[in-house]
Amino acid sequence: MITQTLVHNCLNTKWEDIPQEVIQHAKKSILNWMGVAVGAAYHPSVDMLLSLKEDLQSTEQVSIFGRKEKADILFSSLINGMSSHIFDYDDTHLDTIHHPSGPVAPVCFALAEKYGLSGKQVLRAFILGVEAELRISNAVYPSHYHLGWHITSTAGVFGSAIAAGILLELNEEQMLYALGIAGTQAFGLREMFGTMTKPFHPGKAAENGLLAALLAQKGFTSSKQVLEAKRGFANVLAPEHDLDKVNVNWGTQWETLKNAFKPYACGIVLHPAIDACIALGKKVADPALVKEIEITVNPYVLELTGKPEPQTGLEGKFSIYHTGAIAFLDGDASEEQYQDAKVLDPRTIEFRNKIKPVVNEAFEEDECAAKLTTVDGNVIEYRVKHATGSIENPMTDEMLCSKFRNLVKGILDSENTETIIQKLYELDSVEDINEIIPYCTQSKVSA
Amino acid sequence: MITQTLVHNCLNTKWEDIPQEVIQHAKKSILNWMGVAVGAAYHPSVDMLLSLKEDLQSTEQVSIFGRKEKADILFSSLINGMSSHIFDYDDTHLDTIHHPSGPVAPVCFALAEKYGLSGKQVLRAFILGVEAELRISNAVYPSHYHLGWHITSTAGVFGSAIAAGILLELNEEQMLYALGIAGTQAFGLREMFGTMTKPFHPGKAAENGLLAALLAQKGFTSSKQVLEAKRGFANVLAPEHDLDKVNVNWGTQWETLKNAFKPYACGIVLHPAIDACIALGKKVADPALVKEIEITVNPYVLELTGKPEPQTGLEGKFSIYHTGAIAFLDGDASEEQYQDAKVLDPRTIEFRNKIKPVVNEAFEEDECAAKLTTVDGNVIEYRVKHATGSIENPMTDEMLCSKFRNLVKGILDSENTETIIQKLYELDSVEDINEIIPYCTQSKVSA
């Protein structure tokens, strides 16, 4: 009955049942998602998918964000979902390391654009899709993730199907079938991390979930108990699981509220060190005055990010040395700070040699202590208890908007950028999503 | 190195390296596959996918077998792969219960039609795709299957990617990436058996594998060790596995030769009983003379097929009572004998009450002993050591052609039917697959 109860819960959660706090948080998730999707729209992997689309389809239906091209709703969901995960800069449900918007937001926008749906409809579908996928993640985490599954796509495909099913107005039986068709398509191996195939996962999960809902609408049959069946999702893909978590406290407890946004374009474990180095950079104007910065972190942080001499932007994301240096020098750690050129810049290299990580098991993963010693022997200390972007210390609206502006720079012009920010913050009063969409497609080619 | 060795083996197996026996067997596999694909082309689930295609795509590229419609190569692979598994009447690698043609043949035909490739190219790609997927199945069977994975799609996606990669002339690195992109998309829960989602699996595996090869051709990156990596296919999807089986005796031992064809449109465990009842039906002309037929089988057979009063054609496939009756009465057990009307026919019902199954643990699953007792008290016995369609007792060419004719009846006219049979038997001398394709699309609508 787990699957059936979930479907029942989703279909019976009306707009009025969703707390304002959840709606506001969902708007931020969508703004954050749109920024990372547009920002990566010219990544080579997106070009590859688009050129494949040109080979295959003459159809144009809905938008690919940050681009001029369009595609059918399945293909555009694949591309928009993929691009939003390329920078590893999208939202994160910290309890399960699940990035919830990637598989869900693309299908909401694709269907809304095609059928001229309202902002409220998009928000409700998005919130219920995210809520469902995160609760499924809660039920199978951590054994599922540790076995090697990329939980963002495996659980995400359910979120995509729920969101699509809501917008397609599926009835209860159709929605059950949609979850069956979606869940049997759950896929994604963590072995793919570090390759273009990683961001392909949430994109394909979005596509698979949408396909499932479209087929269910046509009458395609499937299992009605995909989550709990003997040979269903949980038993086959998670050595240990607790399916009670799927429906517990539905309507009173919202996983959506635990969705966190990354202020920096690298793994979350580096965020405390970045906070500290940015703060220290504001206190010491001249880098030449710095002798060293000792950064004390949990041992796991250094295990993941101990690369002393990164050669590429991607490697830079796994280097506390590079990351500490650019945070101090630039006062930021966005995609710009992880360009290859920035990693190879002699100024960065000189400063990264001054970063001295120290491990201490007593430190949590989201805290750090930084101690800057000047060439004169002065000491400045800075302590981070919870990094920016954590649930305890979330990004402010100002930070979110600034992140969005940085991401879309060179792709969208500034007028469109401000329009999108405004309209997404007022999403629940947008009558037709097509009032927003045109602003989210390419207005200026990146230099 | 497992994945790399497999790729190396596939790319370096030239046409001349493939034994004639393997080529001949592959031709039969393709004929058998084409028959089951065309035969199910008007199933409601195919109509649903096609109507979805109409909603999404204006593109027409390659054929959907048995129909007039066309679709792009991805969509057509999905549909042709699905339709070929709808009747559960396709080929079977008995060692692993894997139906190898479904995920592989559609992409061979789609690419060959699009690019005008030769019969030899199709055969080589088909053989290497099937060989690769079956060896991967060998490596993970039985733990993978018992856990709940539909091995036909999970292992099949590799076969699809290999076949597509061969026809797209990928180099070694591209083929490695293709297997990575394909393998991370492995999916398919056995929970879906008995619903339209089951045949959807090999169709989607065909599509996913083809997409993987197309992306790899564009330069899309992935893992180069998807099979053996710590968080790769075998470790994540198979509690126990032996990856040495993937490459052992490559070029001297051919799994393709172990691909068996079903003479009857139901589960293999019923085939010995069908053989026996057909034989007895030829000996006793009047059903009214029969008092009972006692059929002795392995206990597992009755466990799977013990449904005494089936109400639908699909249930009839899981009933030794119905199956024994129609085999005796009609001398066959093809799709016609599993129509709902046939199951509910009073004549069938009367006779199925005379079928008396008996279990005996000493019997293998592919043998049975039947004892017919007439109303006069006469006894006629018939023993089946290996059912028709087993490796030991394969279907003859005549039987295969007859199966093909039965399947396509009402969809293809008889002239086209004979042309296809002839051309598929001469496939290695066909210069352009488009010499065959038009005959395989709808020539006459079913009554």
Side-chain angles (χ1 to χ4, degrees), chain B residues 20-285:
Chain B
Q20 264 305 314
E21 184 191 12
V22 174
I23 292 169
Q24 293 308 316
H25 201 78
K27 289 179 189 174
K28 292 182 195 180
S29 301
I30 289 174
L31 177 68
N32 183 73
W33 176 82
M34 185 64 80
V36 288
V38 170
Y42 286 87
H43 189 270
S45 61
V46 177
D47 286 335
M48 290 170 197
L49 267 174
L50 269 169
S51 84
L52 180 59
K53 186 249 152 201
E54 298 299 323
D55 297 348
L56 295 180
Q57 284 190 355
S58 54
T59 310
E60 303 226 322
Q61 286 184 349
V62 298
S63 301
I64 292 159
F65 296 126
R67 309 278 305 213
K68 283 280 183 231
E69 295 90 341
K70 296 187 176 203
D72 77 32
I73 54 176
L74 291 172
F75 217 104
S76 75
S77 293
L78 167 57
I79 296 181
N80 288 328
M82 181 179 80
S83 61
S84 72
H85 196 50
I86 287 175
F87 291 156
D88 269 320
Y89 202 9
D90 47 342
D91 50 359
T92 311
H93 181 252
L94 298 170
D95 290 353
T96 60
I97 324 179
H98 178 132
H99 307 287
S101 292
V104 175
V107 306
C108 294
F109 278 93
L111 290 170
E113 180 175 354
K114 183 170 180 187
Y115 296 112
L117 306 180
S118 73
K120 272 187 190 165
Q121 288 175 291
V122 166
L123 276 164
R124 175 170 170 255
F126 176 80
I127 289 166
L128 293 172
V130 166
E131 194 62 28
E133 65 179 329
L134 291 181
R135 285 164 166 267
I136 292 168
S137 279
N138 280 342
V140 297
Y141 188 88
S143 78
H144 172 72
Y145 189 78
H146 288 164
L147 180 57
W149 290 108
H150 189 190
I151 198 165
T152 295
S153 58
T154 51
V157 72
F158 293 101
S160 165
I162 288 277
I166 296 269
L167 294 177
L168 292 168
E169 299 182 352
L170 300 190
N171 64 30
E172 193 164 315
E173 182 173 65
Q174 291 170 327
M175 190 69 111
L176 278 168
Y177 287 156
L179 288 190
I181 306 166
T184 198
Q185 293 182 80
F187 80 96
L189 300 171
R190 282 174 59 200
E191 163 63 14
M192 303 299 143
F193 285 15
T195 76
M196 290 179 183
T197 306
K198 186 193 182 201
F200 173 81
H201 290 169
K204 195 76 190 329
E207 181 188 340
N208 288 351
L210 174 55
L211 175 64
L214 291 166
L215 284 176
Q217 190 184 33
K218 300 278 183 191
F220 210 87
T221 65
S222 190
S223 162
K224 291 184 179 179
Q225 46 181 10
V226 62
L227 290 171
E228 69 271 28
K230 182 181 168 200
R231 289 177 178 131
F233 176 77
N235 283 319
V236 176
L237 282 83
E240 290 163 36
H241 49 78
D242 176 6
L243 286 174
D244 287 345
K245 292 186 177 172
V246 173
N247 292 299
V248 68
N249 297 328
W250 184 275
T252 55
Q253 179 186 315
W254 293 85
E255 289 304 308
T256 306
L257 291 175
K258 298 193 199 157
N259 191 23
F261 312 114
K262 284 183 179 179
Y264 310 122
C266 59
I268 279 173
V269 290
L270 278 175
H271 293 198
I274 296 169
D275 276 354
C277 290
I278 290 175
L280 292 171
K282 287 179 181 161
K283 299 189 182 197
V284 180

